[in-house]
Each structure stands twice: as C-alpha cells, then as structure tokens.
Amino acid sequence: MRNGTIRRKAARLYAKGIVCIMAAVSCMWMSVTYGISPVYSLGTNSISQGQVIPTQQEKSEVIPNSENCPIVTVISIPGLSFMELQPEWLDRLPALRKLATTGRLAAMNVRVPYKGLESVYATWGAGTPADGKGGEGWNRAERRDGQSALALIRRFAADGAEAVASSVSVLVPAYPSLKRDNAEENYLARPGLLGETLKRHGVRLGVWGNLDEPGGGTDRFKRPAPLMIMDGQGTVAAGDVGRGTLIADPAMPSAVRTDTERLVEEWRVFVAGRKARPAEGTDHGALAVMELGDWYRLYAEKAWYEPSRFAERKRAVLEQTDRLLSRLTGEMEASGRRHVLWLVSPKVHAEAWIEKWQLTPVIRWSSAIAEGTLMSSATTRRPGLVAAVDVAPSLLGEFGLSRPEGMIGLPIVSAESRRDSRSPLAVLLSDMQQMANVYALRPTLLYGLAGYEVSVMLLGLIALRWAKPLGRLRRWMRGLLFSVLLAPGVLLALGWAAHMDKPLLAGLALTAPLALGMLAAAGSRKIPQLMRTLGWIGAGTGTLILLDGCTGAEAMKRSVLGYDPIVGARYYGIGNEFMGVLLGASLLGLSAWLQVRQMRPRLLKNCGAE
C-alpha cells in the first residue's frame, strides 16, 4: 500500500513538473514570437532595450528649407569584404579609413533564398526577400540586337505606353515578370516598393554604373543596381547604367574602368536638382545609387592573373575607389547640405567566401557625426549585425518615412555595444573572426558528434550482451554514455571561448565531454549514485542554458550548436537545437530526482533493518 501511495505521489509530481516545463517553454516561445517585454529577463533578446538607441539627431547649423532636404548617396561595391577593412589595407586608403573610423558600422547578412546579385538588390528595394533573377537595367535609348528598352517595356508591361511616354532614364524591361513571380512566392515581395514609396513622397531617384564585362569575344551585360530603387513600373527617373560610365583602360579588368570623373559630375548635377526634378514644391530630397564594378570585374577574371600582378591590380582598384570616396565626402562636407553616405556590398569576393568572412560591410557616414559606433536593427538585435531586408526601411527612415505594408525589414539604428576600449571597427573585426571560426567548425564538429553518438549507442547495445561478466567494460560504456549527455553543455560553454584558435576549440569540443563523462562514471558505480549523477547533468545543463539566456545568450550566439548569423535563420533567443536540449535536460533532471525520491524510503528501510 505504501509503495502504491509513493508511486501515485511521484506520478503527480512528475505530471506537475511536465506542466511547469511546458508552461515555461510556451511563455518563452510566445515572448519571442509576439515581442512581449518580459522576455528580456529570460535572455531571448541578445540586446537589452537600453543598448539599442534610435539614430542620433545629426547636428546641423543649416536652417531646414526646400534646398536642405536629405541627400542620400548609396555606393555599392560588389565583392567588397571585411578583408579590405583590415588595418594593413586601410593604411593605404585614407577615405575608406575615414568612413570606417568616423561612420557607423555593421556586418550585413546578404544571404537570401534566391540566387544572384539581382536578388540581393531586389531584396534591398523590397524590404523582404525578393527574386530578382533576370532583372537588369537598360538606358532609355539603348538598343541590343535590334531591340530597344522602350520597345520591350511597351511589349511586356500593361502600362508600358505610360512608361515610354514619361521622361525616365533607366528601365528594367523584366519588371512585369519579376512582379508576377514574386507575387507567387511565399514572401509576397513587391519589387520596387522602396522606389515607389520615395517617388510618391517627392524624393528624386537616380542610378549610375554597371558590372558589364566587355571584350573577350563576348559582350556580357550585368546591371542589377536599378532593381534597388526602381518604381512600380520598373523605371528610374535619372541615371546612366550604359557603357558611357566606362572608359577604356588596357591595364584594368576587362580593359575598362569606371569613369569616376563623369560619375562625380553626374552626381553633382543630380544633387543640385537640375535633373529629374519633380513638380514645384514636391522636392523632398534625393537618393542616388552608384554601382562601382571594377572590383567585381577584377575577381571575375582572377584566374588569368599571376599572383603578384593580381595583388598589384587589387591595390590599383581600391585606390581608385578611395579617390572617388574622397571626392564625394569632400563635396558633401563643403556643401552645407544634409548629406548621408551609405557604403554597401551585395556579396563578398571569392577569397573572403573561402575564409568564411561571408557577411558584407555596411557603413553609414555623415559629416554631422564625428564618432564611429556600431549599428544594429530589431531584426537581429545584435550590435554590429543587420540583414539585407533592413536596407529599404533604413533608407526610408533617412527621409522621415515609415516602412509601408509589405516590408518585413526594420530600420538600422545606432547600437551601443558592450563597453570596450577598442574601436568599433576593431570590435566588429574580432566578432567577424569569431563568427568565421564557428561557421568553419560547425559542420565538422556536428557531423562528428552525430557519428560519435550513433557509435556509442551501438556499442552500448552490443555491450549489454556481455555487461555482467565484464564489469570494467560496463563502466567504460557508462562513461561514454555520460559523455553523450554532457556534450551539449560543453558545446554551449565553449561559446564563451570562441575567441580561441580553431584547432584548440575543436580539441576541447572533442575531449572535454569524454573526460567529464569518465569522471562522472567513476563516481556512479551504484544505482542511487547513478540517478543522482543523471539528475545533476540534466539540471546543470538546463541551468546553464537559462543562465546564458539571462545574461544575453553570449555563449549560445557563438556556440557551434547555436544559431549562425552567417546562415541567418535566427539571430537571437534560444535556438531550436538548444530548446530541444533544454527540454530533454529538464525532463532528465526531473525524472532522476523523482526516481531518487522513490528510492529513498526503500534505502532507509534497508538501513533500519541492518
């Protein structure tokens, strides 16, 4: 009778424990999903509300008027990576160093569900993942193989006649197909939403530059930049994406280089409002996009270069880009107007990709801000990290506009990182190195861990047949099984040591669970001891996960079993893997504790009988 009562009480306690665990998990999940504020106490957000602050109000002595509306310039350099922001490069590039040290910095995840640079630009312009495959810009009067951009627009678009009649400079003939294809996708993206919103509010739009690769027997056209700021008809009012922005230079990639003199002159005229000026009283600023293709063309033909010659060309291209940045920032500072410069990159070059530096740099610079800081967004909630979908809401925010329905991205804002004596750039480069190390180790360690767990389980099943006559083998197997239970906790704890070298980090991840498992097995030779050890492992692992969550999830963000900012499936909170570990560890600890409670009266009875 007494044993039956104990079992019923244990069952009730067990059921209550399960209910409590599920209630806690449900609260955490709802907090993450619906943004309930108490979630900060559980660490599901990696930045507290006090750490992310709105973009500081820029100081300006210029009285706001119709001639002092925001002038935003976006410089896109496909292929640029954080490798070019290392000190050894910045020492030779004064303008880029100025932007990196006095501007606001972040690393951007440009991985989108669709392939190609066109999809990144389309995502920047839609504020949600968008498929830009097949989209490219044409100049209004341009002809290819007897076809003109105007004829294509008139043929494909329902409102093609209206687009042709307007005085636009750049067209995207594939816009009708882009609009239809994205409307059928899961994200319901609206290509051109950024440009259409800005146009509707009187902001002038212009785009210049291309990634064309002329010569070599073929004429390859690549002009994705207009997809970023085109309007709802696939047009941009001002700009030039044709070959007129290139000049011949046999020493440069594809025997051409960007005509920076012309770009600066075109930009100056556009900023002054002498081109694409809307009706009187509706000019509320301008957004200019420049795409510099020399860096992209250089890496496109890298296989043809000798290493020394390629290094020389890299310096030449970067120095040319730096001179352009120097001229633009100089004119912005001297103009007295409200200029903002954004430097972005839609992809990294092949060398950075191999080294796992796959996040691209993004810099926001203004002469009114003298001290550099890191940036963040509510999409990532991590200092120094933003997503591609955040670009459109951020550019809208420069003009005081809120994001329209259809954009899932959130504005990029200034973020206060943890107190550090290093510069924001040094902090960001250090974080990038840690992310790259973890990203490189993740496949090896996780596949190895899965194989190890399967092997241990199979050995355990085999050893059951000879466990009684071979007690030493049983103890060894117990140690191996303990190591499997301890592995998730060890991988989480190693997140605090992500700054270590990759070989040392991998060695600790492999040896620490085995060593701890053998120690646990040595102290668990009897059943009561075994149950207590299992209880401590479960409770300890669950407590470690919750403790890390309450302190900002710093270990989880850098653990190989946590979420990866390079993949971008999740940026904060408790990831799917560790949520499963938390549930399993909590149930293990609770079950072991109830088992010990059930065994205790029996042990006391036996002790009394003796």
Side-chain angles (χ1 to χ4, degrees):
M1 180 65 68
R2 184 176 180 182
N3 289 339
T5 304
I6 293 175
R7 289 193 184 95
R8 286 193 296 272
K9 291 182 178 179
R12 285 196 294 270
L13 286 173
Y14 188 82
K16 290 179 181 179
I18 295 294
V19 171
C20 291
I21 292 173
M22 295 307 297
V25 171
S26 299
C27 289
M28 295 171 67
W29 183 265
M30 291 177 64
S31 298
V32 173
T33 304
Y34 299 105
I36 301 173
S37 58
V39 77
Y40 288 102
S41 64
L42 296 175
T44 54
N45 291 311
S46 55
I47 305 177
S48 66
Q49 288 176 327
Q51 285 179 290
V52 177
I53 59 177
T55 304
Q56 299 172 3
Q57 192 70 25
E58 298 181 358
K59 298 178 181 179
S60 176
E61 297 179 357
V62 181
I63 300 174
N65 53 56
S66 59
E67 294 296 326
N68 191 38
C69 294
I71 305 296
V72 181
T73 304
V74 178
I75 306 294
S76 177
I77 309 178
L80 188 70
S81 73
F82 275 96
M83 286 187 169
E84 288 70 58
L85 297 184
Q86 301 279 2
E88 57 267 23
W89 279 106
L90 289 183
D91 290 342
R92 306 173 184 174
L93 307 170
L96 187 57
R97 182 177 65 245
K98 176 182 178 180
L99 296 182
T101 53
T102 62
R104 292 172 177 150
L105 304 167
M108 181 185 296
N109 187 318
V110 293
R111 181 173 295 203
V112 295
Y114 311 102
K115 294 182 179 180
L117 281 177
E118 296 83 1
S119 296
V120 177
Y121 279 101
T123 299
W124 283 351
T128 192
D131 186 1
K133 184 179 179 181
E136 64 174 356
W138 291 46
N139 282 347
R140 177 185 177 86
E142 186 176 359
R143 298 182 69 88
R144 301 183 199 169
D145 299 328
Q147 296 281 346
S148 69
L150 295 177
L152 293 175
I153 281 286
R154 187 184 290 112
R155 184 192 310 165
F156 299 146
D159 52 358
E162 180 182 346
V164 170
S166 62
S167 59
V168 298
S169 297
V170 179
L171 304 94
V172 180
Y175 177 76
S177 65
L178 296 178
K179 182 178 179 181
R180 181 193 65 246
D181 293 344
N182 282 278
E184 297 172 354
E185 295 289 345
N186 295 332
Y187 296 99
L188 302 177
R190 295 165 58 188
L193 183 56
L194 170 63
E196 183 65 27
T197 305
L198 292 174
K199 178 182 175 181
R200 190 169 62 250
H201 287 85
V203 177
R204 293 178 287 114
L205 303 172
V207 58
W208 290 266
N210 60 64
L211 307 179
D212 289 358
E213 300 174 53
T218 59
D219 220 7
R220 294 183 292 274
F221 298 92
K222 197 171 187 65
R223 304 169 180 180
L227 275 67
M228 180 179 180
I229 60 169
M230 63 183 180
D231 60 17
Q233 294 178 316
T235 64
V236 182
D240 185 355
V241 296
R243 295 293 167 81
T245 61
L246 305 177
I247 57 177
D249 189 340
M252 296 295 282
S254 297
V256 295
R257 64 178 173 85
T258 303
D259 190 350
T260 55
E261 294 292 333
R262 180 180 177 185
L263 287 188
V264 172
E265 181 59 31
E266 291 275 354
W267 174 83
R268 188 184 296 117
V269 172
F270 177 73
V271 165
R274 296 196 294 272
K275 281 191 177 183
R277 191 179 186 90
E280 191 68 26
T282 62
D283 186 2
H284 295 146
L287 171 61
V289 175
M290 293 186 189
E291 184 176 50
L292 307 181
D294 298 310
W295 192 248
Y296 174 86
R297 284 186 283 267
L298 176 66
Y299 273 90
E301 60 178 30
K302 178 186 177 183
W304 296 89
Y305 285 87
E306 289 185 355
S308 59
R309 183 62 173 170
F310 184 74
E312 178 188 332
R313 288 297 89 196
K314 285 177 65 175
R315 289 193 296 271
V317 171
L318 285 175
E319 288 169 358
Q320 174 186 292
T321 303
D322 195 69
R323 288 192 291 271
L324 173 63
L325 294 174
S326 178
R327 289 196 60 181
L328 290 176
T329 55
E331 296 205 14
M332 290 177 183
E333 290 175 323
S335 69
R337 300 189 64 179
R338 294 171 53 191
H339 281 278
V340 177
L341 174 68
W342 285 80
L343 182 66
V344 296
S345 172
K347 64 173 291 185
V348 298
H349 55 72
E351 294 172 7
W353 186 270
I354 293 173
E355 294 297 324
K356 310 304 181 185
W357 287 57
Q358 297 177 9
L359 301 179
T360 64
V362 52
I363 302 176
R364 181 189 182 274
W365 177 87
S366 172
S367 59
I369 300 297
E371 184 178 358
T373 60
L374 294 179
M375 295 188 295
S376 181
S377 74
T379 302
T380 64
R381 304 185 188 180
R382 294 176 62 169
L385 188 62
V386 299
V389 295
D390 299 328
V391 172
S394 304
L395 294 178
L396 290 174
E398 297 286 2
F399 299 94
L401 304 176
S402 58
R403 61 188 180 119
E405 184 180 356
M407 287 188 182
I408 65 173
L410 296 164
I412 298 173
V413 296
S414 178
E416 292 181 352
S417 62
R418 57 187 180 278
R419 295 186 178 275
D420 200 311
S421 59
R422 298 174 296 172
S423 67
L425 177 59
V427 172
L428 190 55
L429 290 174
S430 176
D431 289 344
M432 285 290 298
Q433 185 62 63
Q434 292 182 14
M435 294 177 194
N437 289 344
V438 173
Y439 185 73
L441 285 173
R442 178 171 279 108
T444 302
L445 287 181
L446 294 187
Y447 288 146
L449 177 62
Y452 174 75
E453 291 179 349
V454 172
S455 301
V456 169
M457 297 301 176
L458 291 176
L459 286 175
L461 292 174
I462 295 172
L464 281 177
R465 178 69 179 80
W466 296 279
K468 289 185 178 180
L470 298 175
R472 183 174 299 178
L473 175 61
R474 181 172 55 190
R475 288 194 296 273
W476 275 97
M477 282 307 309
R478 187 172 291 176
L480 293 176
L481 292 169
F482 274 136
S483 69
V484 171
L485 295 176
L486 289 164
V490 171
L491 293 180
L492 175 63
L494 289 179
W496 284 304
H499 60 278
M500 295 182 178
D501 294 333
K502 285 189 287 187
L504 180 58
L505 199 62
L508 287 174
L510 295 174
T511 59
L514 184 60
L516 292 174
M518 292 302 171
L519 287 175
S524 308
R525 298 189 177 185
K526 296 182 179 180
I527 296 299
Q529 296 172 335
L530 175 64
M531 290 296 105
R532 291 190 184 94
T533 302
L534 289 173
W536 281 113
I537 290 176
T541 303
T543 302
L544 185 64
I545 294 173
L546 293 176
L547 178 63
D548 177 61
C550 291
T551 55
E554 294 299 324
M556 194 173 304
K557 289 187 294 188
R558 296 171 175 81
S559 172
V560 295
L561 199 57
Y563 34 80
D564 192 339
I566 296 178
V567 174
R570 178 185 289 270
Y571 297 100
Y572 58 90
I574 297 180
N576 296 341
E577 293 82 2
F578 274 114
M579 180 59 74
V581 173
L582 177 61
L583 285 172
S586 302
L587 293 175
L588 174 64
L590 179 61
S591 301
W593 175 69
L594 292 175
Q595 183 70 17
V596 170
R597 282 179 58 89
Q598 184 178 359
M599 295 171 59
R600 186 175 300 167
R602 189 184 310 165
L603 294 174
L604 292 175
K605 181 179 179 180
N606 293 338
C607 291
E610 290 178 2

